[in-house]
Amino acid sequence: MITHFTPLASPAGGALIGLAAVTLMAFTGRIAGVSGIAAGLLPPIDDDFAERLAFIGGLICAPLFVLLATGRLPSLTIETNTLPLAIAGLLVGFGSVWGNGCTSGHGVCGISRLSRRSIVATLIFMATGFATTFLVRHVV
């Protein structure tokens, strides 16, 4: 597996995520927790459906903006087959529900508000990710 060092793109992406979170908070008073926003697209439909749809639509359309700006889509390589990918997706979804939020809500917005619960949740997310990566690459 090849990993590219991206000293400019990575901080720029992080800054854009932070800017999006601050903008959402400033204009709506809401935390940019993607799992909560996405869950709000499911029934029962509330008054914020259009805002939620626009937010998720922006996430989905982001590669198109990269294409317009650079002339090419971001490269993406997934080095696994469908079954492990589906299992991973289900585990992430379960973890988001069980942890009462996802990495965007806890890691970006919660830590910036110095929420103890978010700091603990993010540390658990990270430790689990480190352990899983180690096990998959070195044990399994």
Side-chain angles (χ1 to χ4, degrees):
M1 174 161 71
I2 299 171
T3 303
H4 299 286
F5 181 59
T6 57
L8 298 177
S10 298
L16 287 173
I17 291 169
L19 179 62
V22 167
T23 302
L24 186 67
M25 178 64 85
F27 285 102
T28 67
R30 295 179 179 224
I31 292 173
V34 177
S35 62
I37 292 170
L41 294 175
L42 302 173
I45 302 299
D46 61 14
D47 293 338
D48 299 326
F49 182 80
E51 290 176 19
R52 294 172 188 273
L53 188 61
F55 188 90
I56 298 300
L59 294 176
I60 293 168
C61 292
L64 299 176
F65 294 119
V66 172
L67 176 63
L68 290 172
T70 66
R72 62 186 184 135
L73 287 170
S75 63
L76 175 66
T77 303
I78 300 174
E79 296 180 7
T80 189
N81 59 36
T82 305
L83 182 62
L85 199 59
I87 292 169
L90 290 171
L91 288 172
V92 167
F94 175 75
S96 293
V97 171
W98 193 52
N100 199 23
C102 59
T103 52
S104 56
H106 285 300
V108 176
C109 299
I111 288 178
S112 66
R113 294 181 302 113
L114 301 177
S115 164
R116 281 188 227 137
R117 184 178 75 140
S118 290
I119 292 168
V120 170
T122 303
L123 289 172
I124 292 170
F125 294 156
M126 298 302 292
T128 303
F130 296 153
T132 301
T133 301
F134 177 81
L135 289 173
V136 167
R137 290 191 179 173
H138 301 290
V139 177
V140 177

